[in-house]
Amino acid sequence: MSSEIINIEDIFAENVFTLATMQKWLSREAYEEIENIVEHGGELSGKTADIVAKCMKDWAVERGATHYTHWFQPLTGCTAAKHDSFITHPNKDGKMFLEFKGKELIKGEPDASSFPSGGLRATFEARGYTAWDITSPAFIKEDAVGKILCIPTAYCSYKGEALDKKTPLLRSMEVINEQSLRLVKLFGNTQAKKVIPSVGAEQEYFLIDRDLYLKRPDLVFAGRTLFGANAPKGQEMDDHYYGCIRERIGAFMKDVNIELWKLGVTAKTQHNEAAPGQHELAPIYETANVAVDHNQLVMDTMKKVAENHGLTCLLHEKPFAGINGSGKHNNWSLTTDTGVNLLDPGLTPNENIQFLLVLACILRAVDLHGDLLRQSASDVGNDLRLGADEAPPAIVSVFLGEQLEDVVKQLVETGEAKHIKEGGVLETGVSTLPDLLKDPTDRNRTSPFAFTGNKFEFRMVGSSDSIGDPNVILNTIVAESFCDACDRLEAADDFDMAVHDLIKEYMTAHKRIIFNGNGYSPEWVKEAERRGLPNLPTMLDAVEILTTDKSISLFEKFGIFTKAELESREDVLYETYSKTINIEANTMVDMASKQLIPAEIKFIGQLASTVNACTQAGVPCDVERDLLCEVSGLLAEMRSALDTLKDSIAKAREIEDHKESAFFYRDGVKVAMDALRIPADKLEMLTDKELWPIPTYADLIFEV
Ligand code: ADP
Ligand code: MG
């Protein structure tokens, strides 16, 4: 074990061009211009852009950077970057000077015809532009390729249409800021100049041995196992959750933390998760767009560091059947620049009128637009997880906890909340242990959208997905409710009376969205249906929510998306779905044809020889014969399922319309995939381990 001393204070953000670093490197004038834009928005002057670019380059080069890149987040959900070195044409003496100009900092023009645009950008006008997001600091990434200065950017088409996850997020942050300021002003807060959505994303992941990973084409191509019988042990003993972290994993976590701290990511919590091989990392919450960028860095860093440790980090939502999959909890709150968290109920929430109005607005937002929230958390992998007794159901509801639910009940029934349920004291019964103050809200792990003290925790998001979309939706739908409330309260003669009535009205109209019970139970599905709450079980059921009249008018009202942008996103989602399932299906065909079936033929050959030999020798061989029949029967089943799958893929490929194709992949191809897996997994349980051609679940999950 190394005894090297890590000083977090020294290394934290050493690879980030933070405001503090800028202050050191820039002239006072230039720094103040930047600071002002970060705080209040606006555009950088050309002159200052040149100064900033030069300083940024000098700072990066001093740290060994050779290239810069506009780092952006296209609709693939990953990050993209093209590296440009700082070198310029040598002068006549052959001397070369490094250069980075203001216009290169502010704007880029990646040849981006290969990124998904959903028809927004025809190939003949393939221009796409990246623009510096000045509110998210530039940083240096250290990879095998060298040190690259990364400039976080938003990515738009020639006509300014958003082609990425960042642009709508920045738009939605401006909108929630504007509407929140209206709201706090109504309560007499005129000092606040800005309200920021804060986000903390807990990230779950699996680690497996890299050599074993490379022996599984399904993991390599699809990121999840497409075959595999359960290991004798799963997660039933609950011995992995919060359990002792093994040395190899510990070494990985240590390096991930160091890398992240250097990038200014506040990696804070780490622990083993419920499933064997599964872990979690959570940073401290920060401004939404920075949190979105940082979550991408967390995922990138995990993958890179895992490789250095002979491991592979799986971010897929469901790498293994039969044990828990992975998600992300998106913790969200709203804070003023004067330090007030609008979601902080204080000690007496029943008397905190501003909090009650905010709460009522959020209930209204989630009730009116729960379908959009659900859509924002859907991706192909998450279909295997949501509603499967390990993750929230696909039905959106709100968990408030006993105390707040009681406050809402009183408000709805009488228009006033006169008292609150106290948390009380939890007696430990041991004289040397302190008695603990009980939290008034218990935790409910089954709720998709839970109030947890001073924030809402949106728990549906998939582990591999960007948290951009969910935060766009949260910001927008809450802004819409704030706007509705402010329109009415600003026009009221008697504010106190009006706010009292409005809280009661919203809570009464939208209380059906509150559910404090067990979200995993089948009764909830029935109850939710009775309440009229939407249940969109799969990703494809949710895609078209983006372009309902209700959604279009919401997004257009606040300038988040145009109708064309929404239609393009819808198209990209359908296409992504088909492509993903197509890769999975082809991988299954490949593995079944080239690995599993040949292995079974060998096994059958061995069994048949044994049966023949035994018969000749005149010894009984009923066991061998039975096994031979069973294996041969399953092999025939597998072969026929394989043929069906191949036919299904061929049919799917003929469909040109993206939506129609996606539904065919779901209802045809995927069904055929499931059918192929059944005999294969049964065969795995019957086959000589020496002959089984791929590592098993037991090898993958327990041999780390
Ligand atoms: P859990 O019990 O679900 O693990 P934690 O209290 O550890 O929850 O917090 C999880 C995440 O929530 C962390 O990223 C944390 O920084 C973030 N968080 C805490 N307070 C807030 C807040 N007011 N707004 C947004 N995120 C927050
Ligand atoms: Mg959590």
Side-chain angles (χ1 to χ4, degrees):
M1 211 186 298
S2 104
S3 56
E4 131 207 38
I5 293 170
I6 302 161
N7 185 329
I8 308 182
E9 283 180 20
D10 284 350
I11 61 170
F12 189 78
E14 71 173 25
N15 285 342
V16 188
F17 202 55
T18 57
L19 278 177
T21 312
M22 285 197 213
Q23 202 165 11
K24 271 194 224 139
W25 283 77
L26 298 178
S27 64
R28 204 171 119 195
E29 230 181 3
Y31 174 75
E32 280 172 1
E33 191 176 325
I34 292 263
E35 197 190 25
N36 193 41
I37 294 176
V38 171
E39 281 304 310
H40 309 292
E43 255 181 67
L44 205 59
S45 66
K47 188 172 138 239
T48 310
D50 277 334
I51 298 172
V52 178
K54 180 175 183 313
C55 292
M56 205 187 258
K57 184 257 302 169
D58 290 346
W59 167 82
V61 169
E62 201 178 279
R63 273 157 192 75
T66 51
H67 293 68
Y68 74 92
T69 185
H70 275 202
W71 186 75
F72 60 105
Q73 301 172 31
L75 296 178
T76 54
C78 319
T79 56
K82 176 191 77 165
H83 304 160
D84 276 294
S85 72
F86 292 117
I87 68 168
T88 53
H89 208 279
N91 68 10
K92 61 181 186 334
D93 307 328
K95 170 93 181 120
M96 203 274 309
F97 296 95
L98 299 182
E99 202 174 68
F100 185 44
K101 296 213 182 88
K103 61 179 196 316
E104 295 167 317
L105 164 66
I106 298 177
K107 193 173 119 190
E109 199 185 315
D111 173 17
S113 47
S114 298
F115 292 111
S117 78
L120 273 185
R121 213 193 39 224
T123 10
F124 59 89
E125 45 175 51
R127 278 171 201 272
Y129 291 102
T130 48
W132 182 26
D133 170 14
I134 203 168
T135 57
S136 182
F139 57 91
I140 298 171
K141 236 174 140 186
E142 293 177 80
D143 285 321
V145 65
K147 295 188 180 184
I148 314 287
L149 170 67
C150 298
I151 298 149
T153 54
Y155 173 51
C156 301
S157 78
Y158 186 61
K159 292 182 195 146
E161 291 139 331
L163 295 172
D164 68 347
K165 306 262 173 187
K166 181 58 116 24
T167 310
L169 178 69
L170 294 175
R171 292 174 184 162
S172 75
M173 287 171 68
E174 292 195 354
V175 167
I176 189 75
N177 170 50
E178 197 183 316
Q179 300 304 328
S180 303
L181 282 176
R182 280 177 76 190
L183 188 139
V184 296
K185 213 178 194 174
L186 282 168
F187 288 88
N189 183 346
T190 47
Q191 294 96 46
K193 296 277 174 291
K194 201 170 174 184
V195 177
I196 303 156
S198 304
V199 171
E202 304 161 55
Q203 174 74 47
E204 292 180 336
Y205 60 98
F206 277 88
L207 285 176
I208 60 170
D209 183 87
R210 184 153 182 83
D211 290 336
L212 296 175
Y213 161 84
L214 290 171
K215 292 192 178 119
R216 295 271 322 206
D218 46 2
L219 287 175
V220 173
F221 295 121
R224 73 171 177 112
T225 54
L226 298 162
F227 295 102
N230 285 340
K233 183 182 172 195
Q235 63 192 53
E236 60 276 49
M237 302 300 284
D238 293 326
D239 51 354
H240 193 256
Y241 191 56
Y242 278 25
C244 176
I245 295 169
R246 273 181 282 177
E247 285 289 283
R248 195 170 174 198
I249 306 299
F252 160 87
M253 287 179 171
K254 178 178 152 196
D255 280 359
V256 166
N257 286 333
I258 292 174
E259 290 296 309
L260 289 176
W261 290 330
K262 287 202 268 181
L263 288 166
V265 180
T266 49
K268 169 88 175 161
T269 325
Q270 62 198 22
H271 62 81
N272 284 350
E273 255 300 325
Q278 193 186 28
H279 315 277
E280 182 183 296
L281 179 146
I284 298 174
Y285 65 96
E286 52 199 338
T287 306
N289 62 323
V290 180
V292 170
D293 287 358
H294 281 175
N295 182 248
Q296 293 287 355
L297 289 182
V298 166
M299 294 194 285
D300 282 356
T301 305
M302 282 176 167
K303 284 193 219 156
K304 185 182 80 184
V305 173
E307 263 189 54
N308 296 341
H309 285 258
L311 298 164
T312 293
C313 175
L314 301 176
L315 292 170
H316 194 281
E317 285 74 16
K318 192 75 179 176
F320 305 102
I323 54 172
N324 277 12
S326 304
K328 262 191 252 246
H329 289 177
N330 188 85
N331 294 270
W332 178 92
S333 67
L334 292 170
T335 320
T336 66
D337 56 352
T338 49
V340 180
N341 176 357
L342 303 191
L343 274 79
D344 186 355
L347 290 175
T348 48
N350 55 327
E351 290 161 6
N352 185 344
I353 303 299
Q354 180 179 302
F355 170 76
L356 290 176
L357 178 64
V358 168
L359 181 68
C361 285
I362 294 177
L363 291 175
R364 177 182 178 277
V366 178
D367 187 27
L368 290 181
H369 302 292
D371 50 2
L372 275 175
L373 264 182
R374 191 270 175 263
Q375 192 287 317
S376 76
S378 58
D379 68 16
V380 188
N382 227 7
D383 273 7
L384 300 165
R385 184 178 156 265
L386 292 181
D389 266 15
E390 59 175 275
I395 307 160
V396 173
S397 64
V398 180
F399 170 82
L400 288 182
E402 221 183 310
Q403 189 185 65
L404 279 186
E405 197 194 10
D406 178 62
V407 168
V408 171
K409 189 162 167 266
Q410 293 178 56
L411 283 167
V412 168
E413 281 170 7
T414 67
E416 256 175 302
K418 293 221 167 86
H419 49 83
I420 48 165
K421 289 191 175 177
E422 297 288 347
V425 175
L426 200 134
E427 285 170 24
T428 56
V430 179
S431 61
T432 51
L433 291 180
D435 286 338
L436 304 170
L437 272 184
K438 244 205 274 191
D439 261 318
T441 54
D442 192 9
R443 286 170 183 274
N444 175 327
R445 291 287 172 199
T446 68
S447 173
F449 196 74
F451 185 73
T452 43
N454 61 2
K455 59 185 158 85
F456 272 100
E457 187 169 336
F458 183 42
R459 299 190 181 126
M460 281 173 120
V461 188
S463 49
S464 67
D465 214 0
S466 160
I467 52 168
D469 292 351
N471 288 299
V472 170
I473 302 300
L474 278 170
N475 294 340
T476 309
I477 65 176
V478 173
E480 193 270 333
S481 277
F482 282 1
C483 178
D484 188 79
C486 292
D487 284 349
R488 292 172 58 180
L489 294 175
E490 282 164 1
D493 296 331
D494 181 341
F495 174 74
D496 289 344
M497 184 74 100
V499 73
H500 170 272
D501 289 350
L502 192 64
I503 291 171
K504 182 173 176 198
E505 181 193 316
Y506 280 174
M507 286 185 172
T508 310
H510 301 289
K511 65 177 193 297
R512 67 169 185 167
I513 196 72
I514 302 172
F515 177 62
N516 282 349
N518 178 6
Y520 294 173
S521 73
E523 291 80 44
W524 169 231
V525 178
K526 282 197 211 111
E527 168 62 14
E529 196 183 335
R530 197 191 58 74
R531 295 188 192 183
L533 298 176
N535 183 0
L536 304 163
T538 72
M539 167 176 164
L540 294 187
D541 300 310
V543 175
E544 63 190 16
I545 299 300
L546 284 177
T547 50
T548 58
D549 291 345
K550 189 180 81 171
S551 302
I552 294 172
S553 67
L554 167 76
F555 290 124
E556 290 201 330
K557 174 171 179 188
F558 292 100
I560 309 294
F561 291 117
T562 60
K563 184 164 182 251
E565 286 172 329
L566 289 165
E567 282 166 353
S568 80
R569 268 153 217 260
E570 195 179 84
D571 190 61
V572 170
L573 289 170
Y574 286 131
E575 222 187 333
T576 305
Y577 188 88
S578 300
K579 285 180 180 167
T580 308
I581 303 293
N582 187 54
I583 292 170
E584 291 188 349
N586 283 329
T587 306
M588 283 188 96
V589 170
D590 220 62
M591 288 173 79
S593 313
K594 297 186 195 157
Q595 293 185 286
L596 306 187
I597 292 179
E600 288 314 310
I601 291 174
K602 253 189 228 161
F603 187 42
I604 286 176
Q606 285 183 5
L607 285 170
S609 314
T610 311
V611 171
N612 281 339
C614 289
T615 315
Q616 251 177 22
V619 288
C621 56
D622 300 344
V623 175
E624 293 86 337
R625 198 186 305 273
D626 284 354
L627 187 56
L628 178 58
C629 289
E630 196 180 349
V631 169
S632 149
L634 284 168
L635 183 61
E637 220 180 280
M638 194 169 159
R639 174 60 201 257
S640 131
L642 176 63
D643 289 342
T644 312
L645 178 57
K646 283 192 206 160
D647 286 349
S648 191
I649 297 172
K651 276 199 199 108
R653 287 219 179 109
E654 280 167 19
I655 306 173
E656 275 176 24
D657 179 72
H658 289 165
K659 180 174 179 181
E660 197 188 323
S661 157
F663 276 90
F664 188 82
Y665 271 101
R666 188 190 73 178
D667 301 330
V669 178
K670 210 157 176 298
V671 174
M673 286 164 57
D674 293 343
L676 174 59
R677 180 169 182 156
I678 295 169
D681 288 359
K682 283 188 192 154
L683 281 168
E684 185 192 325
M685 294 304 289
L686 298 174
T687 306
D688 181 350
K689 166 107 172 123
E690 299 294 317
L691 289 179
W692 192 250
I694 49 175
T696 63
Y697 270 26
D699 303 331
L700 292 168
I701 303 169
F702 290 94
E703 284 189 16
V704 187

